[in-house]
Amino acid sequence: MARILIAEDEEAIRHLVARALRQDGHEVMMAKDGAEALDVLAREPGAFELLLTDIRMPVMDGIALALAATRDHPALTILLMTGYADQRERAQGLDAIIHDVVAKPFTLATIRTAVADALRAHAGRVH
């Protein structure tokens, strides 16, 4: 299965998604904001197949994180999450570097499906 990094400032959502993805057999690490996630990526270059990040977070938002992660880790697949329409619109210009944007609130089935789809895309790009 895959190694996934979740960057989400809402603790309940972060833990709920992590638990669901672990039940699917993935190894999951968590970060509470974009800056912490970027630190994790720098400490473990090439260790993750997927970055699942909220767009709206303190310190460093998900768009800034996606731009930095793509620059430093071009093989990483990025999946964004947001509950805000204006944030979703900001992500529209990032089609070249992100796989998709998942709208909040989502069900666990929806996020699991989005992650599986992103990982299939990642495998297709890597092999």
Side-chain angles (χ1 to χ4, degrees):
M1 300 268 66
R3 286 196 78 207
I4 301 170
L5 176 58
I6 299 172
E8 166 63 66
D9 61 316
E10 292 183 49
E11 186 176 2
I13 293 173
R14 188 171 62 238
H15 286 280
L16 182 70
V17 171
R19 187 176 33 207
L21 296 178
R22 285 181 181 129
Q23 286 175 347
D24 288 346
H26 301 297
E27 183 179 337
V28 179
M29 287 192 67
M30 297 180 285
K32 67 182 180 306
D33 59 51
E36 185 178 309
L38 205 54
D39 288 344
V40 171
L41 290 171
R43 279 195 312 268
E44 300 188 48
F48 297 94
E49 287 83 17
L50 180 66
L51 170 62
L52 176 59
T53 179
D54 191 14
I55 293 177
R56 191 176 218 163
M57 296 182 291
V59 185
M60 174 187 275
D61 73 10
I63 296 208
L65 172 59
L67 292 169
T70 298
R71 179 193 66 223
D72 299 338
H73 311 279
L76 185 65
T77 298
I78 301 171
L79 186 60
L80 300 177
M81 307 176 280
T82 189
Y84 299 92
D86 62 324
Q87 299 300 313
R88 192 176 177 96
E89 288 171 15
R90 281 182 60 212
Q92 292 297 322
L94 301 176
D95 290 344
I97 66 167
I98 63 161
H99 176 74
D100 200 3
V101 180
V102 179
K104 290 179 178 180
F106 48 73
T107 64
L108 289 180
T110 299
I111 198 67
R112 283 175 153 147
T113 299
V115 164
D117 184 54
L119 289 171
R120 273 192 301 279
H122 175 82
R125 284 192 358 245
V126 174
H127 297 289

